[in-house]
Amino acid sequence: MKLVILGMPGAGKGTQSVFIKDFFSIPHISTGDMLRRAVEQKTDTGLQAASYINAGKFVPDKIVLDIVSWRLSEPDCKNGFLLDGFPRNLAQAEALDKILSEKGMALDRVINLKVSSEEVVRRLSSRKICSGCAKILNTHSDKCEFCGGALIVRSDDKEEVVRERLRVYDEQTAVLVEYYASKGTLLTADASGTPEEVWENLKKNLVQ
């Protein structure tokens, strides 16, 4: 299966990606993973990306696209892959189509995890990280159940920041839903249930 997973921050992409990659035995590939792998393997494009990363700058789209093309050519992607965090906008989606076409590939499904903005705010604003063991928990407690360390709310999980992240998502990424719907590859899944419930419903649609 050749898949892309979409969804606003807090929709559960990371959790569902684990279920998907294990079920289909395909690599779960995020933009960060692609960049790190290219840098570690010291490919020409990876070295170009490293110069931007080390300088604290954004990696240009052209370099990211070259890395995507390289990553999808690796042997572990032969039987499929799950792209997470890419594409982020319409231009990247169109570029991905071109990359896949050149490789004789096409996306089987684009998964859109749908959940309300209010549910996302509730989920993320209750998410805390342990100052001791660094585990991430969804709890109203101030103490880690694993090590007893103090739990803190990450700055990017505060309600006002979450709402701004959702605004940016709607502005930049939501257009992808329309794009893939028009191509007939979009699979929208209700992500408001438990992770297991969401996966069971998603699995049924993926294996049809």
Side-chain angles (χ1 to χ4, degrees):
M1 291 288 277
K2 299 172 183 66
L3 306 167
V4 165
I5 189 165
L6 304 175
M8 60 179 63
K13 295 189 298 297
T15 301
Q16 295 306 314
S17 291
V18 173
F19 287 130
I20 293 166
K21 78 176 182 66
D22 289 346
F23 183 79
F24 290 108
S25 298
I26 55 177
H28 170 213
I29 307 170
S30 71
T31 308
D33 290 337
M34 286 187 283
L35 289 169
R36 281 190 292 274
R37 188 157 179 164
V39 170
E40 288 170 1
Q41 295 197 10
K42 297 183 178 179
T43 66
D44 290 342
T45 311
L47 293 175
Q48 290 179 54
S51 67
Y52 286 91
I53 295 169
N54 294 336
K57 298 179 180 178
F58 288 113
V59 179
D61 260 9
K62 184 184 183 306
I63 293 178
V64 173
L65 291 169
D66 285 346
I67 287 176
V68 170
S69 180
W70 164 78
R71 181 66 182 90
L72 296 182
S73 296
E74 290 204 290
D76 64 336
C77 293
K78 182 179 179 180
N79 296 319
F81 51 81
L82 173 64
L83 285 174
D84 178 3
F86 183 91
R88 290 184 180 274
N89 54 50
L90 187 56
Q92 289 184 352
E94 292 171 342
L96 175 61
D97 284 345
K98 184 177 180 181
I99 288 170
L100 292 174
S101 177
E102 290 171 349
K103 297 180 185 301
M105 298 178 175
L107 292 174
D108 293 301
R109 287 285 187 273
V110 174
I111 301 162
N112 176 39
L113 297 181
K114 190 173 183 179
V115 64
S116 71
S117 297
E118 292 309 310
E119 173 64 13
V120 167
V121 171
R122 185 194 68 77
R123 288 180 183 180
L124 295 187
S125 59
S126 66
R127 186 167 70 177
K128 299 177 182 178
I129 186 168
C130 177
S131 58
C133 65
K135 287 186 180 295
I136 296 175
L137 306 170
N138 278 86
T139 178
H140 293 293
S141 173
D142 293 322
K143 183 177 290 188
C144 177
E145 62 187 79
F146 296 97
C147 73
L151 296 179
I152 57 175
V153 177
R154 300 189 306 186
S155 59
D156 60 345
D157 283 341
K158 292 180 179 178
E159 182 174 342
E160 62 274 18
V161 178
V162 170
R163 292 192 182 279
E164 174 60 16
R165 289 167 65 194
L166 296 183
R167 185 195 67 77
V168 171
Y169 174 84
D170 282 334
E171 186 177 276
Q172 296 184 350
T173 315
V175 66
L176 295 179
V177 172
E178 295 180 16
Y179 176 73
Y180 286 117
S182 71
K183 295 173 73 68
T185 54
L186 187 72
L187 170 59
T188 295
D190 181 0
S192 59
T194 66
E196 291 75 20
E197 290 170 342
V198 174
W199 166 237
E200 286 304 315
N201 288 327
L202 183 56
K203 180 170 62 175
K204 289 175 186 176
N205 286 288
L206 286 172
V207 297
Q208 283 181 348

